[in-house]
Amino acid sequence: MTTAYRALNDGTLPGVLSALPDVRARLGGAPESWTVQEVGDGNLNLVFIIKGPAGAVVAKQALPYVRLVGDSWPLPLDRSYYEHMALSEQARHAPGLVPKIHHFDRGLALIVMEYLSPHIIMRKGLIRGTEYPLFAGHIAEFMAQTLFNTSALALPAAEHKQRIGAFAGNTELCKITEDLVFTDPYRIAKLNRWTTPYLDDIAAEFRRDEPLKIKVQERKLQFLTSAEAMIHGDLHTGSIMLTPQDTRIIDPEFAFVGPMGFDIGAVIGNLLIAYYAQTGHEERIGSRNAYRHWILLQTEKVWRVFTKRFLELWDASRTGDAYMPELFTGPEGAAAFAAEKQRFMRKLLTDSISFAGIKMIRRILGLAHTEDLESIKDPPLRAKCERQALTLARRLILDAERFSGMNEVTHAARAVLGSR
Ligand code: ADP
Ligand code: MG
């Protein structure tokens, strides 16, 4: 039985939730006593916090159009179905790193989930200059578990193909990425915007930069055709809610079976944006130096812990149809397989670095910007930070193969900051 879709509001939501015994018990008291607050600050959906005498939940509902733009840009409600499927899958592999799901209603495109409190969106913490000592380990664990366990390294071919099929219908969300990330920033497009006139020259340069555009199109082709693992698909610092002790990854509505490096690159690219944005947030010149350093250390640590955990998982579960253990026996087999794992990780590093650069550029020259940079009120100062980020991003894309470790990326990031 499916419920007919209708957009909910603070008046109608309590009625829907009170019909769910689990949710009702969690909130406690009578539905009339519940408070409802719409808090969605995202680009796409409605997000409500519902509080009762006993507890609180979050209800996220998809709208049939893009919230940021309005009903002129329709978007399928079933993105909620994919988000729920991805959340369920992530919960299996990385329990404790995603919000708990209390209820899902496909007809209403409604996910009722754990209310994360006192967690805040990581981007806001990065703007304030808050250190999160456990973040790098948590996000690395999340990515290692979800990417390894949904890949053909861990799974038999049939199961892998079944998952590709399960997410294959999420095409319109993928198309948003294909257009806004991989295409629009490199052409004149209505939705593009940047800090004008300060960045007009570099925006025009990027549109004429044939080697850059070729590299980005190679990556777009990879995004379109590679089916390595179930990826979150939008893993920026606005999709992470945390406290110094706890980290949760939210909002996987862009999930599909795609290239692993796209998720890793999203994390790295958004940390690097936060790095360059610090100049716009420091109270006096240099007062965020220690924090800048901390961000780069986390960038390195994310990759270091990810690599370690991914390889541990691979060693522990050689259960997939690729690289079957019986093919690599004896010392020679072991050596060959060990060398291959190194090559695999190096390629994943290259992919991640390139996707990181691509994600940075789209946040500065494309439609959707980040609060890190947007909250810098002085346009020339913001443009200075953005130009540095663009300069590094271009290098990451053009020279992705040349970086042999994340420490070389952070070194390059420092060099761009130092050369201002
Ligand atoms: P969208 O898909 O529209 O971007 P998000 O899933 O990112 O929506 O949620 C929008 C905002 O709602 C988040 O930035 C966060 O502030 C809040 N939010 C989302 N999920 C939760 C949750 N489980 N607990 C607390 N706040 C949440
Ligand atoms: Mg979001």
Side-chain angles (χ1 to χ4, degrees):
M1 193 190 68
T2 52
T3 331
Y5 180 80
R6 60 192 195 283
L8 297 170
N9 55 44
D10 32 349
T12 53
L13 192 56
V16 171
L17 298 186
S18 68
L20 310 169
D22 278 3
V23 174
R24 190 180 176 133
R26 201 171 282 280
L27 291 166
E32 299 72 45
S33 68
W34 299 346
T35 63
V36 182
Q37 199 192 351
E38 208 275 316
V39 295
D41 59 357
N43 297 334
L44 297 183
N45 305 290
L46 296 172
V47 178
F48 301 92
I49 298 173
I50 306 92
K51 289 184 176 156
V57 299
V58 157
K60 176 171 177 176
Q61 188 182 38
L63 290 164
Y65 52 82
V66 176
R67 178 181 177 151
L68 178 74
V69 179
D71 51 14
S72 62
W73 186 342
L75 206 59
L77 293 169
D78 249 0
R79 63 188 190 272
S80 177
Y81 165 76
Y82 295 108
E83 175 166 355
H84 173 257
M85 190 156 56
L87 268 174
S88 312
E89 182 91 12
Q90 290 161 349
R92 256 198 301 285
H93 305 303
L97 291 169
V98 288
K100 281 190 197 64
I101 305 160
H102 300 317
H103 181 74
F104 173 60
D105 186 316
R106 190 169 178 178
L108 282 174
L110 181 74
I111 302 171
V112 184
M113 67 182 121
E114 181 182 5
Y115 168 48
L116 301 172
S117 173
H119 301 61
I120 64 165
I121 290 286
M122 184 177 191
R123 220 183 265 299
K124 295 184 189 293
L126 291 167
I127 292 168
R128 288 183 201 162
T130 308
E131 292 189 9
Y132 296 98
L134 303 182
F135 157 74
H138 286 162
I139 196 73
E141 178 73 13
F142 175 81
M143 293 194 295
Q145 292 286 358
T146 57
L147 298 178
F148 177 79
N149 286 304
T150 62
S151 77
L153 302 177
L155 298 175
E159 200 178 321
H160 186 60
K161 286 176 203 298
Q162 191 275 332
R163 184 171 288 98
I164 295 173
F167 282 95
N170 205 11
T171 48
E172 298 207 37
L173 278 276
C174 287
K175 180 152 172 49
I176 292 180
T177 303
E178 290 148 22
D179 291 344
L180 298 186
V181 177
F182 292 101
T183 312
D184 283 357
Y186 306 93
R187 65 176 175 188
I188 302 274
K190 248 199 359 247
L191 296 173
N192 284 344
R193 59 192 185 83
W194 56 79
T195 306
T196 190
Y198 309 97
L199 299 181
D200 291 2
D201 59 338
I202 196 166
E205 241 172 70
F206 278 24
R207 290 196 300 272
R208 286 191 308 264
D209 192 329
E210 309 305 328
L212 180 67
K213 286 187 289 180
I214 291 286
K215 288 281 185 197
V216 174
Q217 292 314 296
E218 271 182 66
R219 294 298 170 183
K220 183 175 181 179
L221 182 62
Q222 185 182 8
F223 183 83
L224 288 167
T225 56
S226 147
E228 288 178 338
M230 184 194 76
I231 65 172
H232 177 284
D234 197 22
L235 195 48
H236 56 88
T237 48
S239 295
I240 299 168
M241 295 190 72
L242 40 49
T243 69
Q245 293 80 35
D246 192 57
T247 308
R248 307 296 186 98
I249 290 78
I250 64 167
D251 197 14
E253 65 190 324
F254 285 80
F256 75 111
V257 179
M260 297 185 189
F262 192 75
D263 274 0
I264 306 165
V267 172
I268 300 301
N270 279 274
L271 288 173
L272 293 170
I273 284 178
Y275 172 74
Y276 288 112
Q278 294 305 315
T279 309
H281 302 306
E282 60 190 357
E283 300 70 26
R284 52 202 150 63
I285 291 176
S287 63
R288 290 280 181 105
N289 281 351
Y291 193 62
R292 277 194 190 85
H293 179 64
W294 179 83
I295 294 176
L296 293 189
L297 288 182
Q298 304 322 298
T299 308
E300 294 170 11
K301 188 174 170 190
V302 168
W303 176 252
R304 187 170 65 244
V305 180
F306 171 81
T307 307
K308 177 173 178 287
R309 293 294 295 128
F310 192 94
L311 289 173
E312 282 169 4
L313 292 170
W314 198 352
D315 285 338
S317 332
R318 292 179 65 185
T319 44
D321 268 339
Y323 303 103
M324 286 175 171
E326 64 256 43
L327 295 175
F328 304 101
T329 53
E332 277 169 32
F337 181 58
E340 173 58 9
K341 284 189 293 188
Q342 291 308 308
R343 188 207 59 82
F344 182 99
M345 296 315 287
R346 175 65 188 259
K347 174 172 183 300
L348 187 50
L349 175 74
T350 304
D351 291 356
S352 305
I353 290 171
S354 179
F355 284 125
I358 293 168
K359 296 284 256 178
M360 292 170 77
I361 291 174
R362 79 85 156 227
R363 292 294 191 181
I364 299 169
L365 300 180
L367 168 70
H369 287 221
T370 68
E371 196 178 333
D372 313 57
L373 293 163
E374 291 299 285
S375 61
I376 302 171
K377 288 293 161 242
D378 178 35
L381 180 60
R382 180 168 75 244
K384 176 178 147 180
C385 300
E386 291 174 331
R387 185 180 291 275
Q388 291 169 347
L390 289 173
T391 303
L392 178 73
R394 179 173 179 275
R395 240 201 97 197
L396 297 184
I397 297 165
L398 290 177
D399 294 345
E401 285 88 0
R402 295 202 201 150
F403 294 94
S404 66
M406 203 55 82
N407 58 326
E408 292 175 11
V409 170
T410 59
H411 189 267
R414 279 199 184 88
V416 169
L417 189 78
S419 69
R420 38 194 167 151

